Amino acid sequence: MAVTILIPTPLRPYVGGRDALELEGGSVGELLEQLAGEHAGLKRHLFAEDGRLRSFVNVYVNDRDIRQLAQRETPVKAGDTVSIIPSIAGGTAVHVGVQPAAPQLPKLSHEEILRYSRHLILPDVGVEGQKKLKAARVLLVGAGGLGSPAALYLAAAGVGTLGIVDFDVVDKTNLQRQVLHGTSTVGIPKLESAKQRISDLNPNVRVETFETRLTAENALDIIRDFDIVADGTDNFPTRYLVNDACVLLGKPNVYGSIFRFEGQASVFHAKQGPCYRCLYSEPPPPGLVPSCAEGGVLGVLPGIIGSIQAMETIKLILGVGEPLIGRLVLFDALKLQFRELKLEKDPDCPVCGTHPTVTELIDYEAFCGIGAEPSYDGAEITAQDLKTEWDRSADLLVIDVREPHEYEIAHIDGAVLIPLSELPTRLGEFDGHREIVTHCHHGARSLKALEILKAAGFSKVRSLRGGIDAWAVNVDPSLPRY
Ligand code: ZN
């Protein structure tokens, strides 16, 4: 019998789409090297250039986090299950400790008693618990896919004050999953849309809005006034920022993240367990893990994970049950399977460890390598210019690096479909002297394609700025946008 290696969704394209592989080996290191050897594309995801295992990839043996052990030497035996868990763009009863003591808890009105009657008759909530909910102040970072169900359930449950940080405007593509918003609020700020919906759901809830991007300059001031933070962001810089600010302020951070059909949830509360950095000390390099906008997400999934965040938040406020501290829940929607992994606090964690090196907020964009992205001056072409040049020279080669299912939604006539993941092995198909323009959906993947082509020696390569979306807007309005 061999060892089963579970492959997470973002890495499945590198192993022929499979979710599990059977390998023979005596240690974790042997298995991973074998895996990288057999599937070349996986190697750069698993190992850094110096050969060490990348720190945004965690490995578990039979649900045990092995980072505290000599990771690579950890022995495995036939029948074991090794899980690879990359970071994705989402103890005992805890009393948050900032609730006013019982005598200062707010009174409930007759309307509130009626509204919350199903809570009041629950022994673990009762009048006392409902008053704790009313006194609680919860900050939602992001009013998107995860923030939507979290905001709705927390408001319905009677959390007295909901803070929401967001600076986006409701867009039609949001409505497939962001159930806080509606067709009638497309085009208006998400905060305004959220406020309208929440006040209809429960006018007793006070909504405090922060129409801003959360930054190292404002995070401590915003978070300080709240008891609990529910993190529903979609990018790594904000994840690390929220984590560090919560650790510095001693606040629990109710974490959720989603990708395609998979979700993760945990409660990071450094006073009692690990923080996000204990789990993933470094972010993946920009672009290695696709965002929801690039990778897609099943509409119901954020509903499930965001609801778990709301549930955990309410448990923390009430001080009931076993919070998700020190545990990471993984949800696989396709198999309808929940798995739970134990998380250890990392004594060397740079922010919550015994000798922290991060004692104030830092530049998170730089930390996540975002400022360090190469400049693409002159490497991009606008949709109109592409149209003009292409009309003039039929010799121009346009390569569509999206996936076949995207090509089916809409495509530019004459473009050749070669998905980004296949590009490195299909370079022999083009003539190096031709002018090449790469394109994708919004213009990010096509820049990666451009880098691959340039590195392979193709000199006349440009990328369509704004992708097929810009083409649909500026050149061919008959194409559907998606
Ligand atoms: Zn930590």
Side-chain angles (χ1 to χ4, degrees):
M1 207 162 58
V3 178
T4 304
I5 310 216
L6 301 183
I7 310 292
T9 315
L11 300 184
R12 285 178 199 163
Y14 305 98
V15 295
R18 279 172 294 173
D19 60 2
L21 296 172
E22 304 269 315
L23 290 178
E24 310 267 349
S27 71
V28 167
E30 266 177 51
L31 291 173
L32 294 179
E33 272 153 37
Q34 207 181 319
L35 191 65
E38 287 175 19
H39 305 278
L42 259 189
K43 193 166 180 185
R44 68 190 185 108
H45 291 273
L46 295 178
F47 298 104
E49 264 146 41
D50 60 9
R52 77 188 160 88
L53 198 59
R54 286 186 181 273
S55 53
F56 58 88
V57 177
N58 290 339
V59 178
Y60 298 77
V61 175
N62 298 333
D63 297 353
R64 178 155 182 231
D65 182 355
I66 58 162
R67 275 172 304 156
Q68 309 303 330
L69 310 170
Q71 184 158 264
R72 288 181 165 220
E73 283 78 49
T74 305
V76 286
K77 55 184 191 313
D80 279 348
T81 300
V82 173
S83 311
I84 300 170
I85 312 288
S87 52
I88 54 175
T92 51
V94 171
H95 294 270
V96 175
V98 285
Q99 301 292 341
Q104 283 108 48
L105 284 173
K107 283 198 166 60
L108 300 178
S109 68
H110 285 188
E111 190 271 339
E112 288 171 304
I113 289 172
L114 185 61
R115 175 184 286 270
Y116 305 127
S117 67
R118 299 300 183 276
H119 270 168
L120 302 182
I121 58 178
L122 259 184
D124 285 337
V125 184
V127 173
E128 185 76 9
Q130 195 62 50
K131 287 179 176 175
K132 285 184 187 171
L133 289 169
K134 185 173 179 176
R137 297 175 52 84
V138 175
L139 183 71
L140 299 167
V141 183
L146 294 165
S148 282
L152 289 170
Y153 276 116
L154 292 171
V159 168
T161 306
L162 281 181
I164 309 179
V165 189
D166 205 296
F167 58 91
D168 236 351
V169 166
V170 180
D171 177 276
K172 197 160 264 179
T173 63
N174 300 150
L175 301 181
Q176 163 258 19
R177 64 200 177 284
Q178 302 185 11
V179 294
L180 187 54
H181 314 294
T183 308
S184 67
T185 58
V186 166
I188 74 167
K190 285 189 179 173
L191 288 180
E192 193 45 48
S193 166
K195 224 173 163 172
Q196 285 177 20
R197 178 73 185 99
I198 290 170
S199 79
D200 179 41
L201 180 61
N202 188 348
N204 301 303
V205 177
R206 216 159 66 105
V207 179
E208 292 182 8
T209 55
F210 301 90
E211 190 156 18
T212 172
R213 188 185 290 273
L214 201 68
T215 65
E217 285 68 46
N218 63 24
L220 293 175
D221 286 337
I222 293 175
I223 293 175
R224 186 175 286 120
D225 292 334
F226 290 87
D227 305 329
I228 300 172
V229 177
D231 179 8
T233 44
D234 59 357
N235 64 81
F236 289 107
T238 316
R239 288 242 179 258
Y240 283 93
L241 168 62
V242 169
N243 178 73
D244 292 2
C246 286
V247 173
L248 295 176
L249 294 167
K251 312 274 184 187
N253 168 15
V254 183
Y255 159 85
S257 70
I258 45 174
F259 180 71
R260 291 192 172 161
F261 293 95
E262 277 178 26
Q264 301 183 349
S266 189
V267 173
F268 297 116
H269 191 22
K271 284 179 177 171
Q272 307 187 20
C275 78
Y276 183 64
R277 284 217 202 210
C278 294
L279 181 60
Y280 298 113
S281 63
E282 288 168 23
L288 207 54
V289 180
S291 68
C292 287
E294 256 180 80
V297 62
L298 185 71
V300 188
L301 180 64
I304 292 168
I305 301 297
S307 299
I308 290 176
Q309 290 179 278
M311 175 69 91
E312 287 303 305
T313 302
I314 289 174
K315 280 163 59 189
L316 291 173
I317 295 167
L318 297 175
V320 300
E322 289 172 30
L324 208 47
I325 294 174
R327 297 184 285 148
L328 178 69
V329 163
L330 304 176
F331 176 62
D332 179 335
L334 290 180
K335 292 188 175 156
L336 212 293
Q337 223 172 42
F338 283 98
R339 295 175 60 215
E340 182 180 312
L341 302 171
K342 287 181 196 65
L343 301 181
E344 308 277 342
K345 195 174 173 85
D346 179 1
D348 297 322
C349 173
V351 60
C352 83
T354 42
H355 304 287
T357 51
V358 178
T359 52
E360 56 185 30
L361 299 180
I362 58 168
D363 179 344
Y364 292 87
E365 301 264 315
F367 176 64
C368 294
I370 288 176
E373 273 179 294
S375 136
Y376 292 104
D377 281 351
E380 289 179 299
I381 180 169
T382 64
Q384 294 94 329
D385 288 351
L386 173 59
K387 167 86 174 119
T388 313
E389 286 191 29
W390 209 0
D391 284 346
R392 211 182 298 142
S393 161
D395 197 39
L396 185 78
L397 174 64
V398 178
I399 305 176
D400 180 349
V401 299
R402 300 173 304 151
E403 299 297 316
H405 59 269
E406 294 179 86
Y407 184 87
E408 234 174 81
I409 302 168
H411 61 265
I412 301 175
D413 281 331
V416 181
L417 178 69
I418 300 180
L420 185 60
S421 57
E422 294 176 18
L423 188 60
T425 56
R426 295 181 58 180
L427 296 170
E429 295 177 23
F430 338 112
D431 173 354
H433 301 290
R434 279 177 84 177
E435 288 270 356
I436 298 176
V437 173
T438 57
H439 95 78
C440 61
H441 186 199
H442 285 127
R445 278 171 290 174
S446 56
L447 285 171
K448 285 179 212 161
L450 173 134
E451 279 182 6
I452 292 169
L453 288 164
K454 290 232 157 163
F458 292 86
S459 55
K460 294 184 273 186
V461 191
R462 283 168 298 166
S463 160
L464 174 58
R465 181 181 297 152
I468 192 172
D469 197 49
W471 184 268
V473 171
N474 299 304
V475 176
D476 183 0
S478 73
L479 284 182
R481 296 175 66 195
Y482 67 101

